[in-house]
Amino acid sequence: MSDDRAARKLTLRDVADAANVSLATASKVLNNRTGVGADTRDRVNQIAQDLGFVALTERQHAARQAGEATIEVLVEPDDVSNPYLALLLGGAIEVASSLDIGLLIRSIESAKARTPTAWATMLARSGRIGVIEVTSAYSAARERALRAAGLTMVLIDPIDSPRTTTYSIGATNWAGAYEATKHLLDLGHRRIDYIGGPPKASCDTVRAHGWAAAMAEAGIRVDIEGVPRRAFSFDHGLAAATELLTSTNPPTAIFAGSDASAMGVLEAARRLGVTVPDELSVVGFDDTVLARASAPPLTTVHQPIADIGRAAVSTLLRVSSGEHLATKRVELSTHLEVRASTAQRPELLRKADS
């Protein structure tokens, strides 16, 4: 496929040109009308299949057969247990239900099991109106295939940065991380470590830079490349915090890139006999139910996760209906929720008591 065709939705003209037939002939074949020879019909159908072209009438018929329009939602299997996903899907379901739109949730692995063209064509012929990918690795090939089939892709905080022409929804990750770190600095902490998420995850990279910027403003140099990264998970938070807290120069505060990771930090502190917040302040990111249920309740960066889910569905529906959106990237505002897991630096507390 040429770069020009890959960058846009395929048209009937593309199929006609590739098959070396007239527009009228291609239309007859793809709309199952008579008056075309068998060899030409087979050639046009094969070309359409190879290109991933699905006629509008075929997509509309599939939607009618299904009884409702549906959106394919792709998630990482490891994220199913993360409260972040539950909040996000709750917001998405709310908007979709109000508009009689169905959401079909699958593992991202389902999209990798076929070639991008075959996968996108299958979705179009099944009545999907678009795809929402949640915190997954961006695939330009999948997006090109969807666009060729006349479907819209919307990304939610993708692992790696998509093209600027791709619709994506997220939060103000840099500002949230900066505010969290400033809070710890204002409490007198100077040894503040950041525990990251998946390596090269775009949202995590931005959070790490927000942390580094606040530290730099305070005159403190940090090693952003040395940030422990593996996953936004309890196990990663536990392992990373254990290593940090048993080092020769342990931190007095830890900022974790997710609430799930922060739960691991709290558990590491408990196992090591480090009291929170008297000896260690802990901050998370997300503001899920974990933050309110932890002991002590977790100070965390609130991102409007349900609103992100709502925005993703709304964006997809607007684009699929033909509306042109001037802004491809939408970031919803974060703010810090201060709870009981943060306090003044231990040395300052001891001076205040003396």
Side-chain angles (χ1 to χ4, degrees):
M1 186 186 303
S2 71
D3 291 340
D4 175 60
R5 287 207 303 262
R8 59 175 170 80
K9 174 184 172 182
L10 284 173
T11 66
L12 187 62
R13 169 62 68 187
D14 293 319
V15 177
D17 289 347
N20 196 27
V21 298
S22 69
L23 196 61
T25 298
S27 177
K28 286 181 179 180
V29 172
L30 296 176
N31 286 288
N32 292 317
R33 294 200 296 269
T34 59
V36 180
D39 289 345
T40 300
R41 184 177 296 276
D42 289 344
R43 186 170 78 254
V44 171
N45 279 325
Q46 187 62 53
I47 290 289
Q49 181 177 325
D50 292 344
L51 293 178
F53 175 81
V54 182
L56 176 61
T57 53
E58 188 175 359
R59 296 202 306 272
Q60 291 172 336
H61 176 72
R64 287 195 299 272
Q65 288 290 100
E68 64 176 356
T70 56
I71 297 171
E72 189 95 350
V73 182
L74 299 179
V75 302
E76 293 284 353
D78 292 343
D79 289 343
V80 172
S81 60
N82 192 329
Y84 171 95
L85 184 59
L87 280 172
L88 188 139
L89 290 177
I93 289 170
E94 180 184 317
V95 171
S97 296
S98 70
L99 299 171
D100 291 327
I101 301 292
L103 297 183
L104 200 158
I105 302 166
R106 293 187 200 269
S107 165
I108 187 71
E109 300 304 319
S110 67
K112 300 175 183 177
R114 305 171 184 237
T115 66
T117 297
W119 168 73
T121 302
M122 181 271 293
L123 293 183
R125 289 175 174 161
S126 299
R128 306 291 185 274
I129 58 175
V131 173
I132 295 174
E133 292 194 10
V134 183
T135 62
S136 63
Y138 167 69
S139 167
R142 281 202 298 272
E143 185 184 16
R144 285 195 299 268
L146 287 170
R147 184 175 287 131
L151 303 182
T152 301
M153 170 188 276
V154 175
L155 306 178
I156 295 178
D157 266 343
I159 294 297
D160 37 12
S161 298
R163 298 184 303 181
T164 55
T165 55
T166 306
Y167 294 97
S168 64
I169 315 291
T172 51
N173 290 300
W174 189 95
Y178 177 87
E179 184 181 6
T181 309
K182 284 286 289 180
H183 167 68
L184 293 170
L185 289 165
D186 290 344
L187 290 172
H189 295 278
R190 291 298 178 268
R191 181 74 168 89
I192 304 169
D193 281 335
Y194 176 69
I195 293 177
K200 299 182 180 179
S202 179
C203 60
D204 182 65
T205 299
V206 174
R207 290 172 196 175
H209 278 88
W211 160 72
M215 296 292 279
E217 283 186 9
I220 304 168
R221 295 182 62 183
V222 296
D223 178 14
I224 200 166
E225 297 301 322
V227 166
R229 291 187 169 93
R230 192 175 75 210
F232 287 134
S233 68
F234 173 88
D235 289 340
H236 175 53
L238 174 60
T242 299
E243 184 172 347
L244 291 171
L245 293 173
T246 55
S247 66
T248 55
N249 187 23
T252 64
I254 292 178
F255 171 31
S258 73
D259 287 351
S261 300
M263 295 303 103
V265 175
L266 292 177
E267 177 60 14
R270 186 192 68 79
R271 294 183 185 184
L272 295 170
V274 177
T275 59
V276 177
D278 294 341
E279 296 175 286
L280 176 72
S281 286
V282 181
V283 178
F285 201 111
D286 285 336
D287 198 19
T288 62
V289 66
L290 294 175
R292 296 181 293 279
S294 69
L298 183 69
T299 295
T300 188
V301 177
H302 173 89
Q303 59 169 328
I305 301 170
D307 287 342
I308 291 173
R310 295 183 187 100
V313 172
S314 297
T315 297
L316 191 149
L317 293 175
R318 291 170 66 188
V319 174
S320 63
S321 67
E323 184 176 346
H324 174 73
L325 305 185
T327 302
K328 300 294 192 296
R329 170 70 178 174
V330 174
E331 292 189 348
L332 304 184
S333 297
T334 58
H335 67 266
L336 188 68
E337 286 284 351
V338 179
R339 299 191 178 99
S341 68
T342 52
Q344 279 191 307
R345 195 176 67 185
E347 299 92 317
L348 297 180
L349 283 174
R350 286 194 289 271
K351 288 179 180 179
D353 292 338
S354 61

